[in-house]
């Protein structure tokens, strides 16, 4: 690579963008919006102003490979140089999964990283793009920081950049621009090494190579393809082709890179068809979510967190025990039962990984997870899709039991928390907000009222006080607790880019061994009726049924 000459760093006028409030996981908008003059730059400069001074600092940069990833990386490199950074680590080809970015930030003691992704949202010229800043612990910026970034976006008048020709992103190596060293790094290696240090690769390799165990990993043409190939096929010896849809594409092959039973249909066909595979897994656009399947068997993410917690001692990285666990509020209480039995603390946080950061940093928890197919631990500060898959493979290798048996035995021991989430997507935003507003106005009167034959015992609007820094977060979802042990949560998504998405979470505990094998929607049918009657979902959304059920 050649050494580039910087012309003067320049100040360019920009306008304030009032719509740049980061949601649950950074700023997500249509690509076309990010392509507006100054739009991306405005947000990036707001980040740099917030963490200023940038002089002398190290930054990590990469994304999930979606449309506009490469262009955005060139823009951000020029701005980072102009803002005084002295070292930038960029994933080769502009690629870094969210967990790998977290790993690289921590390993290299960078001041943070910029990750380009809209996660599970579709990609392409007319689809979504996203950007988020992760701090020096490798985790998503806490509310305090995202609020400060947002304030900057409202008042900024200029951003700094330089004129430079595009950096060659595909070749490993180093290029110097003015004071700044730019390393194009292998996006996979550090992460793969970390995984190898945590799990029993010897036992897992035996499982994958010496019996008739068959596995399929669906990377959904998203970022995890290269990671899964390196780890599952190369280091663990799974047959070539075990990773399907393994090449990251800018539009994810036209698919929806969300690992659930609806979107990962190719994988589902292999696990549920004739001659089904033993194990299947998928991850999302940026590689932080996971879905794990056994032979004709689906593992709910809430159960997954509970089962990983109950069996953590079987994994080398957690053999000495775990400090505590946390789950997002809408996640079922399955893990709470395990934590109680293990006599370790269990925290309930608002939705979004950023709320786990302080608990992980303070050593209060080791494992954490969300119902939305996110699971992780203190090895990094993001949820980690492949990590969860490897955790399951390690468990299967040492327990020598199929997935379904591990899960069913867990239910026999702890009882089963039936769980489902009903999403109403792209509904009229005003109507959705009005529904929540009216609902909140009546929660004080709900306790002891009966809906669809079930009595409500308590109701509240969830708020959270961070046990570490005491910061308070309010309005994180309305919850209803029911007499039959059920719970219903209503909340609006913070990651959608079109209208509003209403999420209704329903869960109910069942201990009777004869009733552990029901179909989930059937087991929760009473609660589903209660949810409809109490909130008037049909009336406000105009929908007869949810768009996505997970
Ligand atoms: C969703 C999920 C949440 C997750 C977030 C980011 O948020 O519900 O649990 O943390 O996506 O995941 P919301 O506000 O739309 O419900 V990802 O894979 O985008 O980083
Ligand atoms: Co994601």
């Amino acid at each position: 690579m050649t050494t580039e000459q910087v012309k003067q760093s320049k100040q360019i006028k920009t306008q304030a963008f009032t719509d740049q409030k980061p949601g649950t996981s950074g700023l997500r908008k249509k690509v076309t919006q990010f392509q507006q003059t100054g739009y991306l730059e405005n947000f990036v400069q707001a980040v740099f102003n917030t963490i200023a001074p940038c002089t002398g600092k190290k930054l990590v940069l990469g994304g999930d490979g979606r449309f506009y990833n490469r262009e955005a990386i060139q823009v951000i490199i020029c701005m980072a140089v102009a803002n005084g950074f002295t070292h930038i680590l960029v994933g080769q080809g502009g690629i870094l999964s969210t967990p790998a970015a977290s790993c690289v930030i921590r390993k290299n003691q960078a001041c943070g990283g910029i990750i380009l992704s809209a996660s599970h949202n579709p990609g392409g010229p007319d689809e979504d793009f996203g950007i988020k800043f992760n701090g020096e612990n490798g985790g998503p910026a806490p509310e305090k920081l995202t609020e400060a970034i947002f304030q900057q976006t409202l008042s900024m008048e200029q951003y700094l950049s330089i004129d430079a020709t595009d950096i060659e992103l595909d070749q490993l190596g180093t290029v110097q621009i003015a004071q700044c060293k730019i390393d194009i790094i292998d996006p996979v290696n550090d992460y793969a090494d970390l995984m190898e240090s945590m799990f029993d690769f010897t036992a897992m390799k035996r499982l994958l190579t010496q019996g008739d165990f068959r596995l399929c990993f669906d990377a959904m043409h998203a970022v995890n393809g290269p990671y899964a190939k390196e780890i599952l096929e190369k280091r663990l010896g799974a047959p070539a082709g075990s990773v399907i849809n393994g090449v990251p594409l800018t539009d994810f092959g036209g698919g929806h890179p969300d690992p659930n039973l609806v979107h990962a249909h190719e994988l589902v066909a292999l696990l549920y068809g004739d001659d089904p595979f033993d194990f299947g897994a998928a991850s999302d656009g940026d590689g932080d979510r996971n879905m794990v399947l056994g032979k004709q068997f689906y593992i709910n993410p809430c159960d997954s967190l509970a089962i990983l917690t109950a069996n953590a001692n079987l994994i080398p990285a957690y053999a000495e025990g775990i400090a505590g666990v946390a789950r997002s509020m809408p996640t079922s209480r399955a893990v709470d039962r395990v934590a109680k039995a293990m006599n370790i603390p269990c925290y309930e946080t608002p939705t979004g990984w950023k709320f786990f950061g302080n608990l992980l940093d303070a050593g209060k928890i080791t494992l954490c997870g969300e119902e939305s197919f996110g699971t992780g631990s203190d090895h990094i500060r993001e949820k980690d899709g492949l990590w969860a898959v490897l955790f399951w493979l390690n468990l299967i290798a040492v327990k020598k039991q199929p997935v379904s048996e591990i899960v069913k035995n867990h239910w026999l021991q702890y009882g089963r928390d039936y769980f489902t989430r009903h999403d109403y997507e792209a509904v009229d935003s005003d109507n959705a907000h009005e529904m929540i507003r009216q609902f909140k106005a009546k929660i004080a009167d709900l306790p002891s009222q009966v809906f669809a034959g079930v009595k409500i015992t308590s109701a509240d609007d969830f708020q959270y006080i961070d046990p570490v820094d005491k910061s308070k977060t309010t309005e994180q979802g309305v919850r209803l607790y029911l007499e039959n042990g059920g719970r219903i949560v209503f909340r609006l998504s913070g990651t959608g880019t079109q209208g509003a998405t209403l999420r209704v979470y329903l869960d109910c505990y069942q201990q009777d061994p004869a009733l552990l094998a029901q179909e989930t929607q059937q087991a929760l049918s009473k609660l589903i009726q209660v949810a409809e009657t109490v909130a008037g979902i049909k009336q406000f959304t105009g929908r007869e049924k949810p768009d996505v059920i997970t």
Side-chain angles (χ1 to χ4, degrees):
M1 282 195 194
T2 55
T3 302
E4 300 274 347
Q5 279 304 318
V6 200
K7 294 177 198 146
Q8 284 258 293
S9 97
K10 48 184 187 173
Q11 303 183 338
I12 305 164
K13 280 203 179 317
T14 189
Q15 62 190 103
F17 287 97
T18 52
D19 65 344
Q20 293 195 329
K21 196 169 178 61
T24 313
S25 190
L27 180 70
R28 288 185 196 172
K29 300 283 174 196
K30 290 284 167 206
V31 166
T32 45
Q33 197 150 345
F34 270 102
Q35 288 168 326
Q36 284 175 52
T37 311
Y39 193 86
L40 171 69
E41 290 86 345
N42 186 87
F43 189 79
V44 173
Q45 189 63 51
V47 170
F48 291 162
N49 288 354
T50 307
I51 60 168
C54 302
T55 315
K57 286 182 180 164
K58 196 189 286 183
L59 183 73
V60 171
L61 181 58
D64 64 10
R66 68 178 58 226
F67 189 87
Y68 202 54
N69 192 61
R70 284 176 175 263
E71 293 84 344
I73 284 188
Q74 301 291 354
V75 169
I76 297 168
I77 289 174
C78 290
M79 290 183 64
V81 175
N83 276 275
F85 283 94
T86 43
H87 195 175
I88 311 175
L89 303 170
V90 188
Q92 186 180 21
I95 292 289
L96 274 177
S97 75
T98 287
S102 186
C103 164
V104 172
I105 293 169
R106 293 167 69 80
K107 185 169 173 186
N108 293 282
Q109 292 165 337
C111 79
I114 291 181
I115 304 173
L116 304 170
S117 172
S119 190
H120 53 291
N121 298 16
D126 299 315
E127 298 292 352
D128 292 347
F129 192 72
I131 181 168
K132 62 177 171 175
F133 176 73
N134 282 28
E136 62 182 341
N137 71 349
E143 296 256 289
K144 219 171 45 226
L145 200 56
T146 52
E147 185 53 35
I149 294 169
F150 176 54
Q151 288 307 325
Q152 284 286 333
T153 68
L154 299 178
S155 57
M156 280 185 21
E157 290 171 353
Q158 61 177 31
Y159 64 87
L160 302 180
S161 189
I162 57 158
D163 284 320
T165 50
D166 279 0
I167 301 282
E168 170 59 76
L169 294 177
D170 292 311
Q171 209 176 329
L172 298 177
T174 300
V175 60
Q176 184 82 26
I177 304 185
Q179 84 289 348
C180 189
K181 183 165 90 142
I182 299 163
D183 284 330
I184 307 296
I185 60 163
D186 182 306
V188 177
N189 258 339
D190 289 340
Y191 175 81
D193 290 347
L194 177 61
M195 292 300 112
E196 195 161 352
S197 75
M198 297 176 68
F199 296 105
D200 185 350
F201 269 37
T202 312
M204 294 153 78
K205 194 167 184 171
R206 212 178 303 128
L207 172 75
L208 297 183
T209 56
Q210 289 180 12
D212 49 11
F213 188 86
R214 288 191 305 158
L215 142 159
C216 176
F217 183 93
D218 188 351
M220 304 183 86
H221 287 303
V223 79
N224 253 352
Y227 296 86
K229 279 190 201 159
E230 169 68 24
I231 296 172
L232 297 173
E233 294 184 5
K234 220 162 133 203
R235 299 198 186 191
L236 289 171
S242 298
V243 177
I244 61 170
N245 301 319
V247 179
L249 299 176
T250 52
D251 66 349
F252 307 119
H256 200 129
D258 200 354
N260 58 41
L261 291 176
V262 181
H263 296 303
H265 41 82
E266 205 175 326
L267 178 76
V268 170
L270 289 174
L271 271 294
Y272 285 85
D274 312 331
D275 192 22
F277 280 51
D278 300 284
F279 184 86
S283 54
D284 71 333
D286 60 334
D288 57 359
R289 297 184 179 200
N290 73 89
M291 177 174 71
V292 176
L293 302 173
K295 189 178 279 191
Q296 298 176 328
F297 196 87
Y298 166 75
I299 309 176
N300 183 282
C302 309
D303 285 340
S304 180
L305 175 63
I307 294 166
L308 300 188
T309 302
N311 293 285
N313 63 318
L314 299 175
I315 305 296
Y318 312 107
E320 279 164 26
I322 56 177
V325 288
R327 61 164 171 85
S328 66
M329 181 275 281
T331 304
S332 90
R333 293 158 285 176
V335 71
D336 304 32
R337 306 180 204 288
V338 177
K340 195 168 172 216
M342 291 171 75
N343 200 19
I344 54 171
C346 177
Y347 299 86
E348 183 177 43
T349 61
T351 296
W353 211 260
K354 59 188 170 196
F355 294 101
F356 295 135
N358 277 346
L359 297 170
L360 290 162
D361 284 348
K364 288 184 180 295
I365 58 169
T366 309
L367 302 181
C368 48
E370 298 189 276
E371 50 65 43
S372 53
F373 300 83
T375 334
S377 90
D378 61 357
H379 65 291
I380 53 170
R381 292 294 178 273
E382 283 280 5
K383 54 187 178 276
D384 190 342
L386 253 179
W387 167 90
V389 173
L390 296 171
F391 200 135
W392 269 99
L393 283 174
N394 198 152
L395 277 190
I396 296 164
V398 295
K399 278 182 162 286
K400 302 192 178 9
Q401 288 172 340
V403 168
S404 58
E405 204 174 311
I406 296 176
V407 178
K408 285 175 183 165
N409 285 341
H410 185 90
W411 291 338
L412 277 176
Q413 187 175 350
Y414 295 95
R416 176 173 179 185
D417 288 88
Y418 284 98
F419 176 90
T420 189
R421 184 176 103 185
H422 290 191
D423 289 341
Y424 299 80
E425 294 180 340
V427 300
D428 180 87
S429 184
D430 291 343
N431 288 351
H433 284 94
E434 183 57 19
M435 182 188 126
I436 296 287
R437 196 192 63 76
Q438 289 192 17
F439 191 42
K440 277 184 187 170
K442 66 179 183 193
I443 45 179
D445 301 329
L446 290 175
S448 78
Q449 285 191 41
V450 176
F451 291 86
V454 189
K455 195 195 270 178
I456 295 178
T457 50
S458 67
D460 69 355
D461 187 356
F462 181 58
Q463 60 173 45
Y464 177 67
I465 295 176
D466 187 298
V468 181
D469 67 17
K470 310 293 174 212
S471 59
K472 187 169 170 181
T473 312
T474 57
E475 300 187 75
Q476 293 301 306
V478 182
R479 358 178 234 192
L480 303 181
Y481 291 92
L482 311 174
E483 199 181 36
N484 66 356
R487 186 185 68 154
I488 306 173
V489 176
F490 295 85
R491 83 173 260 285
L492 296 178
S493 155
T495 60
T497 56
Q498 234 174 356
T501 293
L502 168 69
R503 304 202 196 284
V504 184
Y505 309 80
L506 307 120
D507 72 71
C508 199
Y509 183 55
Q510 180 56 259
Q511 238 180 330
D512 182 346
L515 296 173
L516 295 177
Q518 301 171 71
E519 196 275 321
T520 301
Q521 302 304 314
Q522 192 56 42
L524 293 169
S525 57
K526 202 84 212 156
L527 261 73
I528 295 170
Q529 274 179 40
V530 176
E532 168 52 35
T533 4
V534 79
I537 301 170
K538 282 182 194 157
Q539 179 204 333
F540 281 98
T541 63
R543 304 284 166 82
E544 278 306 308
K545 56 179 178 45
D547 299 281
V548 180
I549 295 181
T550 50

PDB file of all heavy atoms in Angstrom, residues 119 189 251 265 286 290 308 317 458 468 470 494 496:
ATOM      1  N   SER A 119     -28.350  -4.363  11.888  1.00  0.00           N
ATOM      2  CA  SER A 119     -28.627  -5.666  12.488  1.00  0.00           C
ATOM      3  C   SER A 119     -29.535  -6.550  11.647  1.00  0.00           C
ATOM      4  O   SER A 119     -29.204  -6.864  10.516  1.00  0.00           O
ATOM      5  CB  SER A 119     -29.208  -5.435  13.875  1.00  0.00           C
ATOM      6  OG  SER A 119     -29.270  -6.645  14.564  1.00  0.00           O
ATOM      7  N   ASN A 189      -9.772 -13.477  12.952  1.00  0.00           N
ATOM      8  CA  ASN A 189      -8.787 -14.154  13.799  1.00  0.00           C
ATOM      9  C   ASN A 189      -8.902 -13.930  15.300  1.00  0.00           C
ATOM     10  O   ASN A 189      -8.962 -14.886  16.071  1.00  0.00           O
ATOM     11  CB  ASN A 189      -7.383 -13.744  13.376  1.00  0.00           C
ATOM     12  CG  ASN A 189      -6.757 -14.852  12.558  1.00  0.00           C
ATOM     13  OD1 ASN A 189      -7.193 -16.004  12.644  1.00  0.00           O
ATOM     14  ND2 ASN A 189      -5.751 -14.507  11.768  1.00  0.00           N
ATOM     15  N   ASP A 251     -27.073  -7.080   0.053  1.00  0.00           N
ATOM     16  CA  ASP A 251     -28.530  -7.074   0.291  1.00  0.00           C
ATOM     17  C   ASP A 251     -28.972  -8.375   0.978  1.00  0.00           C
ATOM     18  O   ASP A 251     -30.151  -8.713   0.979  1.00  0.00           O
ATOM     19  CB  ASP A 251     -29.286  -6.892  -1.021  1.00  0.00           C
ATOM     20  CG  ASP A 251     -29.090  -8.079  -1.959  1.00  0.00           C
ATOM     21  OD1 ASP A 251     -28.209  -8.935  -1.681  1.00  0.00           O
ATOM     22  OD2 ASP A 251     -29.816  -8.168  -2.957  1.00  0.00           O
ATOM     23  N   HIS A 265     -35.891 -19.869   6.821  1.00  0.00           N
ATOM     24  CA  HIS A 265     -36.692 -21.016   6.354  1.00  0.00           C
ATOM     25  C   HIS A 265     -35.858 -22.121   5.732  1.00  0.00           C
ATOM     26  O   HIS A 265     -36.204 -23.287   5.814  1.00  0.00           O
ATOM     27  CB  HIS A 265     -37.798 -20.557   5.414  1.00  0.00           C
ATOM     28  CG  HIS A 265     -37.363 -19.498   4.459  1.00  0.00           C
ATOM     29  ND1 HIS A 265     -36.696 -19.778   3.319  1.00  0.00           N
ATOM     30  CD2 HIS A 265     -37.465 -18.137   4.538  1.00  0.00           C
ATOM     31  CE1 HIS A 265     -36.411 -18.648   2.701  1.00  0.00           C
ATOM     32  NE2 HIS A 265     -36.858 -17.633   3.416  1.00  0.00           N
ATOM     33  N   ASP A 286     -25.624  -8.625  11.731  1.00  0.00           N
ATOM     34  CA  ASP A 286     -24.330  -8.254  12.311  1.00  0.00           C
ATOM     35  C   ASP A 286     -23.764  -9.331  13.227  1.00  0.00           C
ATOM     36  O   ASP A 286     -22.785  -9.091  13.946  1.00  0.00           O
ATOM     37  CB  ASP A 286     -24.437  -6.909  13.039  1.00  0.00           C
ATOM     38  CG  ASP A 286     -25.437  -6.923  14.170  1.00  0.00           C
ATOM     39  OD1 ASP A 286     -26.379  -7.738  14.129  1.00  0.00           O
ATOM     40  OD2 ASP A 286     -25.272  -6.120  15.108  1.00  0.00           O
ATOM     41  N   ASN A 290     -28.695 -15.179  17.788  1.00  0.00           N
ATOM     42  CA  ASN A 290     -28.605 -16.593  17.431  1.00  0.00           C
ATOM     43  C   ASN A 290     -29.953 -17.261  17.529  1.00  0.00           C
ATOM     44  O   ASN A 290     -30.774 -16.923  18.375  1.00  0.00           O
ATOM     45  CB  ASN A 290     -27.640 -17.311  18.361  1.00  0.00           C
ATOM     46  CG  ASN A 290     -28.223 -17.511  19.758  1.00  0.00           C
ATOM     47  OD1 ASN A 290     -28.885 -18.520  20.034  1.00  0.00           O
ATOM     48  ND2 ASN A 290     -28.028 -16.531  20.645  1.00  0.00           N
ATOM     49  N   LEU A 308     -28.280 -22.486  29.431  1.00  0.00           N
ATOM     50  CA  LEU A 308     -26.846 -22.182  29.434  1.00  0.00           C
ATOM     51  C   LEU A 308     -26.394 -21.844  30.855  1.00  0.00           C
ATOM     52  O   LEU A 308     -25.332 -22.270  31.308  1.00  0.00           O
ATOM     53  CB  LEU A 308     -26.518 -21.013  28.484  1.00  0.00           C
ATOM     54  CG  LEU A 308     -26.855 -21.190  26.996  1.00  0.00           C
ATOM     55  CD1 LEU A 308     -26.299 -20.035  26.160  1.00  0.00           C
ATOM     56  CD2 LEU A 308     -26.351 -22.515  26.437  1.00  0.00           C
ATOM     57  N   ALA A 317     -14.661 -22.018  30.136  1.00  0.00           N
ATOM     58  CA  ALA A 317     -14.589 -20.599  30.507  1.00  0.00           C
ATOM     59  C   ALA A 317     -15.374 -20.275  31.779  1.00  0.00           C
ATOM     60  O   ALA A 317     -15.117 -19.267  32.440  1.00  0.00           O
ATOM     61  CB  ALA A 317     -15.099 -19.727  29.363  1.00  0.00           C
ATOM     62  N   SER A 458     -51.428  -7.355  39.086  1.00  0.00           N
ATOM     63  CA  SER A 458     -50.742  -6.063  39.186  1.00  0.00           C
ATOM     64  C   SER A 458     -50.347  -5.583  37.802  1.00  0.00           C
ATOM     65  O   SER A 458     -50.304  -6.364  36.846  1.00  0.00           O
ATOM     66  CB  SER A 458     -49.519  -6.154  40.109  1.00  0.00           C
ATOM     67  OG  SER A 458     -48.552  -6.979  39.521  1.00  0.00           O
ATOM     68  N   VAL A 468     -25.428  -0.014  39.370  1.00  0.00           N
ATOM     69  CA  VAL A 468     -24.036   0.449  39.470  1.00  0.00           C
ATOM     70  C   VAL A 468     -23.961   1.981  39.499  1.00  0.00           C
ATOM     71  O   VAL A 468     -23.449   2.562  40.456  1.00  0.00           O
ATOM     72  CB  VAL A 468     -23.175  -0.110  38.316  1.00  0.00           C
ATOM     73  CG1 VAL A 468     -21.730   0.355  38.444  1.00  0.00           C
ATOM     74  CG2 VAL A 468     -23.251  -1.639  38.290  1.00  0.00           C
ATOM     75  N   LYS A 470     -26.655   4.068  39.298  1.00  0.00           N
ATOM     76  CA  LYS A 470     -27.918   4.621  39.832  1.00  0.00           C
ATOM     77  C   LYS A 470     -28.704   5.450  38.817  1.00  0.00           C
ATOM     78  O   LYS A 470     -29.623   6.182  39.197  1.00  0.00           O
ATOM     79  CB  LYS A 470     -27.666   5.477  41.095  1.00  0.00           C
ATOM     80  CG  LYS A 470     -26.820   4.801  42.169  1.00  0.00           C
ATOM     81  CD  LYS A 470     -27.543   3.620  42.792  1.00  0.00           C
ATOM     82  CE  LYS A 470     -26.616   2.873  43.751  1.00  0.00           C
ATOM     83  NZ  LYS A 470     -26.865   1.442  43.824  1.00  0.00           N
ATOM     84  N   GLY A 494     -37.669   0.149  19.363  1.00  0.00           N
ATOM     85  CA  GLY A 494     -36.784   1.296  19.159  1.00  0.00           C
ATOM     86  C   GLY A 494     -35.839   1.082  17.984  1.00  0.00           C
ATOM     87  O   GLY A 494     -34.896   1.840  17.805  1.00  0.00           O
ATOM     88  N   GLY A 496     -37.053  -0.028  14.625  1.00  0.00           N
ATOM     89  CA  GLY A 496     -37.730  -0.031  13.327  1.00  0.00           C
ATOM     90  C   GLY A 496     -37.426   1.248  12.554  1.00  0.00           C
ATOM     91  O   GLY A 496     -36.970   2.236  13.131  1.00  0.00           O
TER      92      GLY A 496
END
